Amino acid sequence: MAVLLPYLYTGGVHKHGLLIELMEDLGGYIIQKVVTGTEVNLIMLIPEKDVNVVKKLSDELLGVLMEAPLTGVEIAVVSPTLASHHLPHSACDVAEYLRHPGANTNMIGLARGMGRRVSLSMDYERKLINEHDIAVFTFGSFSDCITKKKPKLFEGIEIPIVVTGGPVELKTEDVPGADLYIGNIGRVSHRLRRTEEVNALDSLNEGVSKIADNIRKQQAKDPLAVLPARVMKEIENQVPEIRTVLSPAPLTLQLDGLRVKLPYDEFHEKIENLEFDEGVTLSELANISRSKMKNYILIKIKSKSDVGFAI
């Protein structure tokens, strides 16, 4: 199975189709295409041995090719509250900044305190968060709260946990259950645009990228039975209804699967029966279930050791 590296291409709309054709010839994947006016952004997975080939063509097209280490990573950005009286939310800036290196982010508000009566149940929230690759919890500006009270929210969370908060003196080991702590991102009455805040957001992206790389390294010891990107391509080819979804990411890649933004009841059998050239169906390679998010379809790919082979 070829090693695929995540990259972002930015360039003019004119002739970008040449880059898409090249990616298909090389066995790479276009994860997302966004056209804004005369500019196009392509998030891609490029075979490691062919990066220089793609770089050469992108230069000829006068575009820019850069690494996008969080491509294929879905992140839950979790805030204890998204209430309007707490606006602006630093969680919004965190979610936006994590998208720069390619991540897909979903904001989840827990509505604690008085808002608890209208919030999701804790069990539902845990399951929803655990559908993601990484969880980023955005907390406030009080050390005691971050280190002693908020870690209760981590109970039952099975994915890596990143915490942001205001105090800069705290370290990761001071926050029980956290895999990473980043300071200078607390609850403030302005957007995170100051130099020290942007530097903290850069540190967040770097730290989360390292966590994602560690997950990939662990997966490499027992590879997935099929690449999530290949499943995405087969769904695009065999389930034409996916083209009618208005979401900018109707197929959201994860490190160990993907989220399909089609109704579970109507389409899960079609997804289960996806056929591969090797003569197997997706149901043999992955667990397919009802997502806790809007009744979508969640695909979690089994490992090679579970299936006995990989394609």
Side-chain angles (χ1 to χ4, degrees):
M1 193 176 291
V3 175
L4 300 173
L5 301 180
Y7 277 85
L8 168 66
Y9 168 81
T10 301
V13 172
H14 182 59
K15 292 187 176 181
H16 77 277
L18 295 174
L19 196 58
I20 295 177
E21 291 176 6
L22 176 63
M23 288 293 294
E24 291 176 352
D25 292 341
L26 297 175
Y29 297 93
I30 303 294
I31 303 304
Q32 194 170 356
K33 171 183 171 181
V34 179
V35 178
T36 54
T38 60
E39 185 177 88
V40 63
N41 292 324
L42 298 175
I43 297 177
M44 307 179 290
L45 291 176
I46 306 173
E48 184 177 25
K49 63 183 178 61
D50 296 317
V51 170
N52 288 335
V53 177
V54 178
K55 177 71 166 61
K56 183 177 182 228
L57 179 57
S58 67
D59 289 343
E60 292 173 1
L61 297 175
L62 303 181
V64 177
L65 187 69
M66 65 186 74
E67 294 183 2
L70 291 180
T71 294
V73 181
E74 189 180 35
I75 299 174
V77 178
V78 187
S79 176
T81 175
L82 293 175
S84 59
H85 61 276
H86 284 142
L87 289 170
H89 295 292
S90 58
C92 298
D93 290 315
V94 168
E96 177 187 341
Y97 217 79
L98 285 166
R99 296 186 196 114
H100 293 181
N104 273 291
T105 58
N106 296 312
M107 292 185 63
I108 299 175
L110 302 182
R112 289 297 176 263
M114 288 299 292
R116 185 70 183 98
R117 69 187 68 175
V118 296
S119 71
L120 300 172
S121 70
M122 274 300 295
D123 184 56
Y124 189 99
E125 291 168 348
R126 288 191 192 100
K127 290 178 179 178
L128 176 59
I129 294 169
N130 281 331
E131 287 184 1
H132 296 74
D133 294 308
I134 298 170
V136 176
F137 283 80
T138 59
F139 294 151
S141 302
F142 298 101
S143 297
D144 188 66
C145 184
I146 294 172
T147 59
K148 296 180 181 179
K149 297 180 180 179
K150 292 298 190 235
K152 292 180 181 179
L153 297 176
F154 305 157
E155 294 176 1
I157 304 302
E158 300 169 354
I159 58 177
I161 294 171
V162 177
V163 173
T164 67
V168 296
E169 71 277 5
L170 290 181
K171 299 178 180 178
T172 297
E173 53 266 30
D174 297 325
V175 186
D179 296 281
L180 175 67
Y181 172 79
I182 300 291
N184 244 332
I185 309 177
R187 183 176 295 158
V188 291
S189 58
H190 59 266
R191 297 293 303 275
L192 301 179
R193 295 294 184 267
R194 297 174 181 173
T195 300
E196 65 274 14
E197 293 165 345
V198 173
N199 289 340
L201 290 170
D202 285 334
S203 296
L204 173 66
N205 280 1
E206 182 180 347
V208 173
S209 295
K210 288 181 180 178
I211 291 174
D213 282 340
N214 288 336
I215 295 174
R216 292 186 184 104
K217 289 176 182 176
Q218 288 300 314
Q219 284 182 345
K221 297 177 181 178
D222 187 9
L224 298 177
V226 61
L227 291 173
R230 183 171 177 194
V231 177
M232 177 194 72
K233 188 172 182 179
E234 293 300 335
I235 293 175
E236 291 173 341
N237 291 337
Q238 299 182 42
V239 187
E241 292 87 350
I242 198 67
R243 302 189 192 99
T244 67
V245 177
L246 299 180
S247 167
L251 294 169
T252 301
L253 286 192
Q254 300 175 337
L255 290 171
D256 61 351
L258 61 160
R259 191 186 306 279
V260 182
K261 296 181 180 178
L262 288 171
Y264 178 85
D265 291 330
E266 186 176 352
F267 288 98
H268 75 93
E269 290 185 359
K270 199 167 186 178
I271 296 297
E272 291 168 359
N273 293 324
L274 279 178
E275 296 181 350
F276 295 86
D277 292 338
E278 290 82 356
V280 296
T281 61
L282 183 59
S283 61
E284 299 175 68
L285 306 173
N287 294 314
I288 300 162
S289 61
R290 188 191 305 271
S291 171
K292 296 299 180 183
M293 181 184 295
K294 297 184 179 180
N295 198 33
Y296 291 147
I297 300 170
L298 186 68
I299 300 172
K300 290 295 184 180
I301 301 171
K302 300 174 184 178
S303 65
K304 180 180 178 180
S305 63
D306 287 335
V307 178
F309 61 90
I311 62 172

